[in-house]
Amino acid sequence: MRHYRFLMIVVPAPVPGTRTNRDSALDGLRALAIARVITWHASGWPWTTWVISAVPAMFAVSGALMARSTTHIGAWSQTGNRVRRLVWPMWAYGVAVWTLSTFTGASSSPLWTFFLPFVQPHSDLAGTWFTSALWYLTAYWWILLLSPALLSATRKWGHVAPATGSCLVVVCGSLGWDEGPNGRLMGDVILYATFAMWGMTLLRSGRPDPRTIRLPAMAAFAGTIAWLLLRRDGTTVVNDDHVLHMFVGGFWMLVLLQMPGMLSWVARTTPARFLNGHPLTIYLWHPGVAWLMWQLVPHRIPDPARTVVIIAMTFVLLPGVVFCTGWIEKRRDIDLSVRPMTARILVGFFVVAALMSGPVSSRLDLFRGSSDIPLPPSAAPKIVRVEPRNEITAFLRNTSPTHMQRAAQMERATASLDRELRLGGTRVVVTTQNGESWEVRTGVDPKATTVPSQIGSLTKTFTTTVIMQLKDEGRLELDDEIGDLGLGFRHGRITIRQLLSHTSGIPEYDRTSGLLEDGTTPADVVYWASRRPLEFRPGSRVKYSTTGFVLLGVVLERLTGSTFEDLVERRITDDLGYGVSFFRGRYRSVGFSTGGLSMTPSDLADWTRRYFRDRNVGAAPWEWSFRSTTGLGAHGYCPCRQGSFMALGHMGGRTFASVDGDGVVVVIDSRGVLVNDNYGRVQQLAQELRLIAGGGRNHAYP
């Protein structure tokens, strides 16, 4: 889901001595779009992207106003005015985010990308909340550079120019040319340049008669239906698909333009005047306000009521943000006298002091959001909040239970889960930092914990480790593009980092195509993924993808000339003394680098401690961080309290492993399925086992 592809277009203040032919209906359209943007960012409700698709309409409004203004001022002068209106609030925001990223140790792109965003600025601050929406600045800068050429094209060819752009959008979307980082930027530029040209032609001399745009509106609606029927894959978010965005955006723009009286009335309202008065300031800062509300609004409020409260609070707090920073956008009206500047400084000081105070700061996590924040979305594994059952709480009141008493309570808790979920037998290994250990087996004819089992997606931790070893050796970089993999793979601009962090947009093979047939090879998966469009813009969201880790296995084999299995044994398991085995294309799974490793629960417990806590394979700990590689969205398991991780771990289809901040390792291996609907209950058992063992109180990743 592409949660940040929506915005308003910045319209410059009128230049003294010129006429702008302003249209209150266009102001009303822009205000509605800004309100929709804020609602979408604050809620994360995908259905909102189908209502007043904002960006296309706003680029059309921008194109119209530019075309009208250039009757009195040249195109290049108009472009210069827009740039001057844009740069100061953008630079102020960029410096603030970059400085805070540097101060907190969050990874960010170079400072120049915030000043000249011809590529999207990026920061891991607050889980990328503060920069994910800045994709717009990149697109807008390119449109600004092209605007004189766009104006010239529309003056020379009229409606033929935007019609050609519309056809090009469809061609690029049909052939997949708009996929990958560079392809996505190209698609953005073509789509929004097309709408800017529609504004330059359709709205240049005033709004057309509503009757003349009914047929185009119906055509846009028909195009939407046709594209939904023809495209093979897609998401529920309009903004992820350029062609769909064009049809839906065009439909809403044309429908609303048939109601100029209503739009003019909207423009005259106080909220609309506020939104139109400081569009760039509001756009830059409102995601941070929404992120703050998601962390501070109490969880005891039921959903969706809590979401509605967060949306409302975001709107309520925006005037304060505009008061503190909006004057930068209104440079022509700047009042630098002592009284107004003192008031702004004091308000800013008290806000920062409140955020840094104990009660508030303890609930904020500047590296990611709370577990249920919708933007950017947290994908896999699912993060849940759990509380121990009453019987576990009663047991914990015993201040000094013996080892045997702990073992008996663990057995009762595990047996309860096994019966409840009908797992058919469960094995548990629990170890503490000081060397205590427990083994629990339930079910008929239970296997010993020294008998290997398939660990499923926990294989990904070994794949990640080999990748990072090669990075440390200088044989690859995380931002290297994977290329065609020697198999003609179409999405070769995806990077290793995006595959590791589940942000590539690669569709899920086994989930979309059903159970795999035995004999499915990694090459089969590569060919399948190559023929499918990406589900979202790479880097724009997180969505768990086993397919992505198949691609990483292919990358490893091409880079080293060794098989994945040989790499894992030589680099990890042989030195640690683990007895492991591998499979490919069996058990209705591709296996391989995404889920093809088998080992004993006892060895898995040792590996879990090494990977998630000690972070070493040999004598020296590794220096790489989950935050900059696989990310907490891929390896974090809760319960979460105030946005922090009680434990780090991972879950395979039938196996779960984690370690908490007290050093208690929990491995759960079952004959039944632990994932999907059973996430919450498995997490509850894991936390109960940690507490019984004396842990479960300190966060593994605060």
Side-chain angles (χ1 to χ4, degrees), residues 34 87 247 384 591:
I34 297 172
V87 293
F247 285 131
V384 296

Side-chain angles (χ1 to χ4, degrees), residues 613-627:
R613 183 176 176 85
D614 299 339
R615 301 183 184 178
N616 70 76
V617 174
W622 58 56
E623 296 182 357
W624 52 272
S625 165
F626 296 122
R627 187 175 291 129

Side-chain angles (χ1 to χ4, degrees), residues 10 34 144 176 190 196 199 212 219 226 246 271 328 335 342 347 359 371 374 387 407 461 474 560 594 621 641 663 681:
V10 179
I34 297 172
L144 275 180
I190 294 173
T212 66
M246 179 182 69
I328 301 175
D335 184 357
T342 300
V347 170
S371 61
E387 295 295 337
T461 61
T560 64
T594 194
R641 296 197 180 97
R681 186 65 180 88

